[in-house]
Amino acid sequence: MGENREEGFICMNNIKVEDRDHGIRVILIDRPKALNALNTETLLELQKVLKETAVSSEIRVVVLTGGGEKAFIAGADITEMMGKNLSQGISFAKVGQEVTRLLESLPQPTIAMVGGFALGGGAEMAIACDFIYASDSAVFGQPEVGLGVIPGFGGTARLSRFVGLPMAKDLIFSGRKIKSDEALRIGLVNEVVKRSELNDFVMKRAQQIASHSAGAVRACKRVMNEFEETHGIDYKLDMEAQEFGSLFGTKDQKEGMSAFMEKRKPNFEGVSLKESK
Ligand code: DAK
């Protein structure tokens, strides 16, 4: 796994990582000739970077995107997958699942910036992020049944969270590709903008998130993700109250509320490593 590091940049064989102002980390899958398809090496590089990201208190928002004009990620690498036997197929799915799990459970908010094809394992990477902003040229789909497999990187588990169970079944059973206007209508993406405006749009939204108390944003994510699991309303209300209570008395809470009263911008302290789980 080749790797170059400079201040604010990590360059691996298949991914590039850039730490921008305001604590925004951009992770770019950079195999444009293969439409950023995910082979094992790319997945292992992502795994490494996501593990590092998870323990950083400096990084406030993560943006996942694909290199080149045509694709976010066109899926798992079919060329590599073709030759796999049963046990190799299972280990490939495991590393892919681990990467989507790492992405989903990052303490920082994650945005999938989708400028083109997000198919199969690519769509699954996008739905492991907190939400998706797409360009008007984006195309989504879970074409796996047409290749004789099922979504292997968590798609059967996660797609319904975005679009509801009947629509998730519709997309997965049919394998059809949908354009960004339909993706917006069914709730798969949060917003669609012109291709040329996507980067600026996403960075502005990321900055908006990054300007808030990192501890409070992380707590929101923790609570909201936990609620997606199969807990009843009493459990949810109890956990919400506990998280709410634990933020009371923090410097950021005092600062945020004082700033509001004093009609000024808050100056948040950030999150300590202890909080950044
Ligand atoms: N893998 C490998 N190479 C890919 C690729 C992929 N998924 N998608 C595109 N490429 C490569 C093409 O082969 C081509 O390479 P060259 O021929 O130039 O060497 C290059 O990228 C450009 O692609 P095209 O020439 O096809 O470009 P077009 O504009 O004509 O078409 C396309 C774009 C995105 C519509 C088309 O490339 C396409 O249909 N690609 C495949 C999309 C797809 O089916 N994705 C889903 C992959 S399956 C599991 C584990 C994992 C998974 C499932 C199960 N278990 C173990 C249970 C995951 C499955 C998937 O993700």
Side-chain angles (χ1 to χ4, degrees):
M1 208 188 284
E3 186 177 314
N4 273 322
R5 284 182 188 249
E6 283 171 36
E7 181 69 32
F9 289 96
I10 309 171
C11 184
M12 297 176 165
N13 290 341
N14 308 280
I15 70 173
K16 306 225 168 355
V17 182
E18 185 186 345
D19 290 326
R20 300 197 184 169
D21 291 345
H22 312 286
I24 300 168
R25 168 164 279 196
V26 179
I27 303 176
L28 176 95
I29 317 288
D30 198 25
R31 302 184 72 214
K33 285 191 183 145
L35 303 188
N36 305 318
L38 300 168
N39 58 7
T40 304
E41 189 181 40
T42 309
L43 289 169
L44 292 172
E45 288 175 6
L46 274 169
Q47 189 181 44
K48 184 170 186 204
V49 164
L50 291 172
K51 281 184 179 166
E52 285 180 20
T53 305
V55 294
S56 165
S57 55
E58 312 279 299
I59 300 162
R60 289 169 163 251
V61 182
V62 175
V63 176
L64 179 70
T65 195
E69 283 301 304
K70 272 178 80 172
F72 171 69
I73 301 167
D77 191 316
I78 301 171
T79 328
E80 185 186 306
M81 242 186 336
M82 269 174 71
K84 292 198 183 300
N85 60 27
L86 179 67
S87 66
Q88 290 166 332
I90 292 172
S91 22
F92 185 63
K94 277 203 174 129
V95 67
Q97 283 180 352
E98 198 190 326
V99 169
T100 53
R101 194 77 188 99
L102 280 166
L103 195 51
E104 175 175 63
S105 57
L106 277 184
Q108 300 92 342
T110 50
I111 302 173
M113 178 164 76
V114 177
F117 291 108
L119 300 174
E124 291 170 292
M125 284 291 158
I127 58 174
C129 292
D130 291 316
F131 47 83
I132 304 170
Y133 292 138
S135 77
D136 49 5
S137 55
V139 175
F140 295 83
Q142 298 290 163
E144 287 88 346
V145 290
L147 295 163
V149 288
I150 66 166
F153 297 164
T156 55
R158 292 193 186 94
L159 187 56
S160 57
R161 294 183 187 164
F162 281 68
V163 299
L165 189 57
M167 184 54 82
K169 287 177 174 169
D170 175 348
L171 293 172
I172 289 175
F173 297 173
S174 71
R176 69 192 171 91
K177 297 185 179 76
I178 60 168
K179 293 187 178 160
S180 46
D181 55 348
E182 184 174 354
L184 180 66
R185 184 168 55 72
I186 65 175
L188 179 56
V189 308
N190 281 30
E191 206 123 12
V192 176
V193 299
K194 284 191 191 145
R195 182 74 179 89
S196 56
E197 293 167 10
L198 183 63
N199 188 66
D200 286 352
F201 175 86
V202 171
M203 290 308 140
K204 263 191 200 146
R205 287 287 171 92
Q207 279 173 31
Q208 192 175 18
I209 297 171
S211 71
H212 299 309
S213 161
V217 172
R218 286 176 181 218
C220 290
K221 175 164 176 172
R222 207 160 46 234
V223 169
M224 292 165 86
N225 277 2
E226 178 77 16
F227 289 176
E228 273 305 304
E229 307 301 326
T230 52
H231 296 296
I233 187 70
D234 289 337
Y235 173 86
K236 293 177 181 179
L237 292 175
D238 187 43
M239 183 169 170
E240 185 184 69
Q242 277 179 35
E243 288 280 357
F244 185 80
S246 73
L247 288 170
F248 255 81
T250 62
K251 285 186 179 155
D252 275 2
Q253 177 260 323
K254 288 196 180 86
E255 169 61 12
M257 294 189 181
S258 307
F260 174 77
M261 299 302 287
E262 292 157 19
K263 299 191 189 305
R264 62 174 173 81
K265 275 197 165 173
N267 182 15
F268 289 124
E269 195 173 55
V271 68
S272 70
L273 266 182
K274 192 169 80 47
E275 289 170 298
S276 70
K277 47 186 167 94

